[in-house]
Amino acid sequence: MDGITIALSKGRIFDETLPLLAAAGIEPLENPETSRRLILPTNRDNVRVLIVRATDTPTYVQYGAADLGVAGKDVLLEHGSDGLYQPIDLGIARCRMMVAVPAGFDYQRAVRQGARLKVASKYLNIAREHFAAKGVHVDLIKLYGSMELAPLAGLADAIVDLVSTGSTLKANNLVACEHIMDISSRLIVNQAALKLKREALAPILDAIAGVVQR
């Protein structure tokens, strides 16, 4: 496609990206929550939006199936960001990557005593680097959802997961005990597209950057 293709995931990222795209003069003509289409037209004939899984966004951009996209820092760190230009931290979809444990579990004491902890997460790379930097021995268990269930069922001592309001942790009698990093979403751009489609991409990037800096 000679035009511009933008990869976005449904939900919070899509909703919070809409005002940024509007500032760049781009408005999807269909709502991805109600449309069955995975390629959405926009008010500009040369711009389309691909609806992809959040974890697939970097892949579509990296291999040139999309020229740009929006991905969380967690996804970029966990799944890799080789070959991607990340010009703007959009400051949207903010949350925190945290270690959480059952209420009453003395995490700090366990760490001090050198206990080998079982930790469940879908962010194994992030968790591995975090605990390695602290010198904490862990057995990592890969899960894809309902992370809060792991400690309750006795599968793990702790979890590493994204925390927004903390209400889900509280509802499951878990507490966040250690902050790993702040997370927000980034604009990512295919490096080849940045050169070959600079004339079309530059106004979009400049408009989005202008809104973010306000």
Side-chain angles (χ1 to χ4, degrees):
M1 182 183 177
D2 293 331
I4 301 300
T5 301
I6 305 170
L8 297 174
S9 57
K10 289 184 181 182
R12 187 179 175 188
I13 284 182
F14 186 92
D15 293 341
E16 295 188 24
T17 302
L18 284 182
L20 304 179
L21 291 179
I26 299 169
E27 298 181 28
L29 298 181
E30 298 180 26
N31 184 336
E33 300 295 345
T34 56
S35 175
R36 291 176 178 268
R37 300 173 69 177
L38 298 177
I39 300 178
L40 303 183
T42 73
N43 61 321
R44 290 171 54 171
D45 291 339
N46 67 330
V47 180
R48 64 179 184 173
V49 173
L50 301 186
I51 302 302
V52 302
R53 287 177 62 94
T55 51
D56 290 337
T57 301
T59 302
Y60 275 85
V61 177
Q62 180 182 354
Y63 286 94
D67 301 299
L68 57 95
V70 176
K73 180 180 178 181
D74 55 312
V75 172
L76 294 170
L77 289 174
E78 186 67 22
H79 298 279
S81 56
D82 292 343
L84 296 176
Y85 177 49
Q86 302 179 42
I88 308 172
D89 181 347
L90 299 174
I92 63 173
R94 291 183 181 275
C95 52
R96 296 160 292 151
M97 186 72 70
M98 304 286 291
V99 180
V101 297
F105 180 79
D106 194 338
Y107 171 77
Q108 299 300 337
R109 181 181 178 186
V111 169
R112 285 196 306 271
Q113 292 181 344
R116 190 175 188 93
L117 301 175
K118 292 184 295 181
V119 179
S121 183
K122 62 180 174 181
Y123 302 103
L124 294 193
N125 291 330
I126 293 174
R128 184 179 294 110
E129 289 188 12
H130 172 71
F131 289 112
K134 290 170 58 69
V136 177
H137 299 290
V138 295
D139 292 320
L140 295 174
I141 302 169
K142 177 77 171 182
L143 290 180
Y144 294 91
S146 301
M147 218 60 58
E148 297 82 8
L149 181 60
L152 303 180
L155 178 65
D157 303 304
I159 64 173
V160 168
D161 203 10
L162 294 177
V163 176
S164 182
T165 64
S167 57
T168 303
L169 292 180
K170 186 176 181 180
N172 288 283
N173 201 33
L174 301 176
V175 294
C177 62
E178 191 166 67
H179 177 272
I180 297 178
M181 67 180 71
D182 292 321
I183 299 293
S184 58
S185 291
R186 314 295 175 94
L187 186 69
I188 56 175
V189 186
N190 177 275
Q191 291 185 348
L194 196 61
K195 297 177 182 178
L196 299 174
K197 300 183 180 181
R198 178 172 292 276
E199 187 174 338
L201 278 175
I204 297 173
L205 300 181
D206 290 345
I208 292 175
V211 174
V212 172
Q213 292 168 3
R214 286 177 191 169

